[in-house]
Amino acid sequence: MQTVLSNITEEKEFQISEHSTLNESVKLKETPESNLSPRERLLMDNVVHMGHWLTETERDASLTVDLADLESIKNAIMQMQGFIDQLKMRHLDLLRIMDESQSKVVRERSEVMAVECNKILNECQRRKVTLTKMLEEIRIWDRLRKSLTTWLTDVQEKVIDASKVDRADTETLKKELSEIQGIAEIAGEMKSRMDELNERSNALLDNYRADEGHNLSHTISKLNALWSKFNDNVRIRRAVLEAALRARNDFHSALEQLMEWMDGVEASLVKLNEATVNIQMLKDSIKRKKWIEDEKNVRVDINAHKDVIGSVKELGVQLTRRVEDHKEREDLRERLSHIDIRWRHLVGLADAIRTRLLNAQEEWEKLFTQLADNLFWAEAQSKAILEEQPVGGSLARVQEQTSFIEVLFHYRFSFHDSEVHMYTTFT
C-alpha cells in the first residue's frame, strides 16, 4: 500500500515538473512578433499573407501551356500580365509597410518579401516575353498547317473520288491525267511548305521543351501521314491512268498502222488485179513471171500479218469488254468489224489473182510441153523418112514405104489439130 502511494506521489511530482518545464519552453520559444503592437502585428499579418500569395503566384506562373493550343497561350499571356500588375502593386505595398513600420522585425520580413516579389515579377515578365514570342511562332505555324491541311483534303478527295478507268472514255482519261499532272506540279510547290512546317515544328519543340509539345507533335505526325498517303495516291492514280491510256493508245496506234498497211497491200493487189485480168497480157511470159513474183511477195506479207491481225482483234475484244462507255464501245466494235471485212477482202482478192496466174502458167506449161513433144516427133519422123530413102526396090518394100507415109500423114494432121486447139485455148 505504501508502495502504491509512493508511486502515485512520484507520478504527481513528475507531472508538475513536466508542466513547469513546458511553460518554461514556451517562454523560451516566444518570438519577437509576440511583443508587437496591434498595428505592427497587422502589418506583419499582411506581410505573411503576401508571402503565401507570392508562393501561389510563383506556382501558377510556372504552369506549362499546350504548344498546339493558341487559346491556352493567349490566356496564359493575359494571366501573366495580371500577375505582373498584381506583383507591382504588392511590391509597392511592401515598400509602404517598410516605410510605415517601426518594428525591425516587420521591416526585415517586408524587405525579404520585397526581394522575393521582385524576383517573381522578373520571372513573370520573362515568361510573358517567352509566351508572346511563342504565340507569334505558333500563329505562323498554325496558318501554314491549316493551309496545307485544307489543300491536302481537297486534292485527296479529287484523287479518291475520280471516275473508274474502265467506265471512262479516252477523253475523260486524258482530262483526269492532265488534272493529276497539275496536282503533282502543285504538290512540288507544296513540298517546300511542308518542309517549312516540319522545320518550324521541330524548332518549336526544341525551343520550348518545358511546355507541352505532345499535341503539336501528334498533329504534325498526322499531317505527314496524310501527305505521304496523298503522294502515294497521286502516284498510283497517275500510273493507272497512264497505263489505261497507253493500252488504248497502243490499240489505236496498232489499228492505225494496220490500216496503213492494208491500204498499201490493197493498192498493190488492185494494180496486180488490173494487170492480170487481161488475158492477152498474160501471154507475155516475162510480165507473167514478174506478176507471179509480185503476187508471192504480197502473199508473204499477208501471211506475216496474220498474227498481227489476230493480236489486234484480241486486244480490241478485250478492250471492248472493259470499256463501259457505250459510244466508245460501239466505235471500237465498228472499227474491228471494218478491219475484219477489209482483211477478208484482201485475202480473197489475193487468192483470185493467184488462181488466175497459176492457171495461165499451167496452160502455158502444157502448151510448151506439147510443142516440145511435137518437135521431138517431127525430128524423129524426119530421121525415119531419111532412112526410108531411096524409094524403090521390091514390091513389098514399096508397099511398106507407102504404108509408112500414110501413117505419117495421119499423125501429122492429128498433131496439127492438137497444137491449134491448145494455142487457141491459151490465147
Side-chain angles (χ1 to χ4, degrees):
M1 184 68 177
Q2 186 178 1
T3 305
V4 174
L5 290 174
S6 62
N7 289 337
I8 293 173
T9 304
E10 289 175 2
E11 184 176 355
K12 286 182 178 180
E13 290 177 354
F14 175 78
Q15 289 177 354
I16 293 170
S17 174
E18 184 180 9
H19 180 69
S20 61
T21 304
L22 289 173
N23 289 335
E24 291 176 358
S25 176
V26 170
K27 289 180 180 179
L28 290 173
K29 288 184 178 180
E30 285 182 354
T31 60
E33 288 90 340
S34 59
N35 298 325
L36 295 176
S37 64
R39 182 174 176 278
E40 295 293 338
R41 187 179 296 278
L42 180 61
L43 293 176
M44 178 61 76
D45 290 341
N46 289 336
V47 173
V48 172
H49 288 307
M50 198 173 296
H52 295 323
W53 180 84
L54 287 174
T55 302
E56 294 177 359
T57 301
E58 185 178 18
R59 182 194 62 201
D60 294 340
S62 63
L63 294 177
T64 59
V65 294
D66 185 356
L67 293 178
D69 190 351
L70 280 172
E71 291 301 321
S72 68
I73 299 174
K74 291 178 183 178
N75 293 334
I77 292 174
M78 290 188 292
Q79 185 183 32
M80 208 58 58
Q81 183 60 49
F83 288 154
I84 292 171
D85 294 338
Q86 292 183 47
L87 285 166
K88 288 180 179 179
M89 294 175 60
R90 296 299 174 96
H91 189 263
L92 292 176
D93 289 341
L94 289 170
L95 294 178
R96 179 182 57 79
I97 291 173
M98 284 189 289
D99 291 339
E100 293 179 358
S101 177
Q102 302 297 322
S103 172
K104 181 180 179 181
V105 175
V106 174
R107 288 198 302 272
E108 289 178 352
R109 181 66 64 86
S110 299
E111 186 177 355
V112 171
M113 288 297 106
V115 173
E116 184 69 17
C117 181
N118 193 49
K119 184 192 76 170
I120 297 173
L121 175 62
N122 292 332
E123 291 177 357
C124 289
Q125 288 174 339
R126 286 195 298 271
R127 180 61 175 168
K128 182 188 175 185
V129 172
T130 301
L131 289 172
T132 303
K133 182 182 177 183
M134 180 193 299
L135 180 63
E136 293 301 320
E137 294 177 0
I138 292 295
R139 278 175 175 168
I140 297 173
W141 176 88
D142 194 56
R143 283 196 298 268
L144 191 57
R145 179 191 64 83
K146 286 181 178 179
S147 64
L148 282 169
T149 302
T150 302
W151 181 80
L152 279 174
T153 303
D154 292 341
V155 295
Q156 187 81 315
E157 290 178 356
K158 291 181 181 179
V159 174
I160 295 175
D161 296 338
S163 59
K164 291 186 177 180
V165 172
D166 293 340
R167 295 182 180 178
D169 56 16
T170 303
E171 292 301 322
T172 302
L173 292 178
K174 289 181 179 179
K175 181 180 178 181
E176 289 191 7
L177 180 59
S178 177
E179 291 177 355
I180 289 294
Q181 290 173 343
I183 291 174
E185 291 178 0
I186 298 175
E189 301 174 1
M190 287 295 179
K191 186 179 184 304
S192 60
R193 302 183 68 179
M194 193 69 195
D195 293 339
E196 180 186 354
L197 182 65
N198 283 319
E199 290 177 0
R200 288 185 176 276
S201 300
N202 294 331
L204 287 170
L205 293 172
D206 290 338
N207 295 335
Y208 306 107
R209 293 177 181 272
D211 291 287
E212 294 293 332
H214 175 73
N215 289 335
L216 186 143
S217 179
H218 181 66
T219 300
I220 198 64
S221 296
K222 287 176 61 178
L223 190 59
N224 279 316
L226 182 62
W227 173 261
S228 299
K229 184 178 180 181
F230 156 74
N231 284 312
D232 291 340
N233 289 337
V234 168
R235 281 194 294 269
I236 293 171
R237 184 63 182 174
R238 187 174 186 174
V240 169
L241 290 172
E242 288 178 348
L245 281 173
R246 192 182 304 112
R248 298 190 186 187
N249 289 336
D250 288 346
F251 170 74
H252 291 297
S253 177
L255 206 59
E256 292 297 330
Q257 292 178 4
L258 189 59
M259 293 290 288
E260 292 178 2
W261 173 81
M262 283 186 169
D263 291 339
V265 171
E266 186 175 17
S268 299
L269 288 175
V270 168
K271 182 178 179 181
L272 197 58
N273 183 63
E274 291 175 353
T276 58
V277 77
N278 189 343
I279 302 299
Q280 296 298 325
M281 297 292 290
L282 289 174
K283 296 177 183 179
D284 191 334
S285 60
I286 297 176
K287 290 183 178 180
R288 188 175 62 252
K289 288 181 180 180
K290 180 180 180 301
W291 293 334
I292 290 174
E293 189 66 26
D294 292 342
E295 188 276 333
K296 287 181 179 179
N297 293 333
V298 173
R299 183 163 295 277
V300 168
D301 199 10
I302 289 176
N303 292 334
H305 278 75
K306 282 184 179 180
D307 293 337
V308 177
I309 291 290
S311 299
V312 171
K313 285 183 179 180
E314 183 178 357
L315 181 61
V317 170
Q318 292 177 358
L319 190 60
T320 303
R321 290 173 181 172
R322 290 199 303 267
V323 172
E324 297 187 12
D325 183 73
H326 179 73
K327 182 179 179 181
E328 186 172 0
R329 184 168 61 249
E330 291 300 320
D331 181 62
L332 288 173
R333 287 176 177 172
E334 184 178 351
R335 297 188 71 180
L336 287 173
S337 176
H338 180 65
I339 287 291
D340 189 56
I341 292 172
R342 287 198 66 185
W343 173 254
R344 289 200 300 267
H345 169 70
L346 292 177
V347 172
L349 184 58
D351 289 341
I353 294 172
R354 182 170 182 267
T355 301
R356 188 183 305 141
L357 288 171
L358 289 178
N359 289 338
Q361 183 67 15
E362 185 179 355
E363 291 295 331
W364 181 85
E365 289 177 355
K366 287 181 180 180
L367 177 60
F368 181 81
T369 302
Q370 187 64 46
L371 289 175
D373 291 342
N374 290 346
L375 182 61
F376 176 77
W377 178 84
E379 290 177 353
Q381 298 306 317
S382 296
K383 184 178 179 181
I385 291 173
L386 291 175
E387 291 177 353
E388 291 294 329
Q389 293 180 359
V391 179
S394 63
L395 179 60
R397 178 61 179 165
V398 172
Q399 290 178 347
E400 183 180 350
Q401 288 181 344
T402 302
S403 176
F404 173 76
I405 293 300
E406 289 177 354
V407 172
L408 181 62
F409 270 100
H410 174 72
Y411 278 106
R412 175 181 177 276
F413 286 113
S414 177
F415 278 121
H416 179 267
D417 293 340
S418 176
E419 290 176 2
V420 171
H421 174 72
M422 291 188 65
Y423 183 77
T424 303
T425 301
F426 182 72
T427 56

